[in-house]
Amino acid sequence: MCYMWQQIRQGVRWNPSERFALACRGLDLKKVKSVEIAFDPCHPDTSALRKFWEAISAPKVKLTNPAVRIKADIRNDRVPPHFVATLADGKKLRFETENMHPSDLIMRFNKLLDNPELGKSGTRPRPKL
């Protein structure tokens, strides 16, 4: 049997890095005023929050809202990692990111901001500066 049909028969699964990249493409910070990130670097489950921090600090994502303020608070009190996003309408979104996958975190954040969970695949036009 052809390899393609074997994959279809078993069910095609997401490649985690592709899913994360598509979720990052859907990020749009137009409705966000500020993001406050707090984590303990010695805590075992900070990888999702660190990848989220890297994703929202990317130049292409920052172009969606250059006025967004990203503040990081690095602690040593063994508190689980979390972030608080303040929206333009005054609402606050608090995420406890312990035991979360980075792509799930970004997809949930996109959904709460009324953005598509996953961005479009393929090549993107260059942004005009």
Side-chain angles (χ1 to χ4, degrees):
M1 186 181 314
C2 179
Y3 181 70
M4 179 186 76
W5 290 110
Q6 286 178 352
Q7 278 193 329
I8 291 173
R9 193 173 207 194
Q10 295 170 357
V12 179
R13 293 179 180 85
W14 280 96
N15 184 354
S17 60
E18 288 178 12
R19 188 174 180 187
F20 179 74
L22 285 176
C24 289
R25 278 192 171 193
L27 271 174
D28 188 2
L29 301 177
K30 289 179 184 171
K31 298 178 183 177
V32 179
K33 191 185 294 185
S34 67
V35 178
E36 297 173 10
I37 298 170
F39 67 95
D40 180 8
C42 296
H43 196 278
D45 288 328
T46 61
S47 62
L49 187 63
R50 288 176 186 230
K51 285 195 174 209
F52 174 78
W53 185 14
E54 181 184 348
I56 63 171
S57 298
K60 288 185 180 182
V61 175
K62 276 202 160 187
L63 281 176
T64 60
N65 185 2
V68 70
R69 197 178 111 240
I70 301 170
K71 179 184 169 191
D73 184 19
I74 300 174
R75 307 168 147 198
N76 64 351
D77 55 359
R78 300 286 187 204
V79 174
H82 67 276
F83 75 91
V84 178
T86 306
L87 303 182
D89 59 357
K91 292 182 181 177
K92 290 189 176 189
L93 301 175
R94 180 180 169 94
F95 277 80
E96 297 289 335
T97 62
E98 188 176 19
N99 299 326
M100 284 187 80
H101 195 273
S103 61
D104 293 336
L105 174 64
I106 293 178
M107 288 170 60
R108 180 65 51 97
F109 186 66
N110 283 339
K111 187 174 183 179
L112 291 173
L113 292 178
D114 296 328
N115 297 332
E117 288 184 4
L118 298 173
K120 295 179 181 177
S121 61
T123 59
R124 275 200 260 183
R126 300 187 120 219
K128 296 180 182 178
L129 301 174

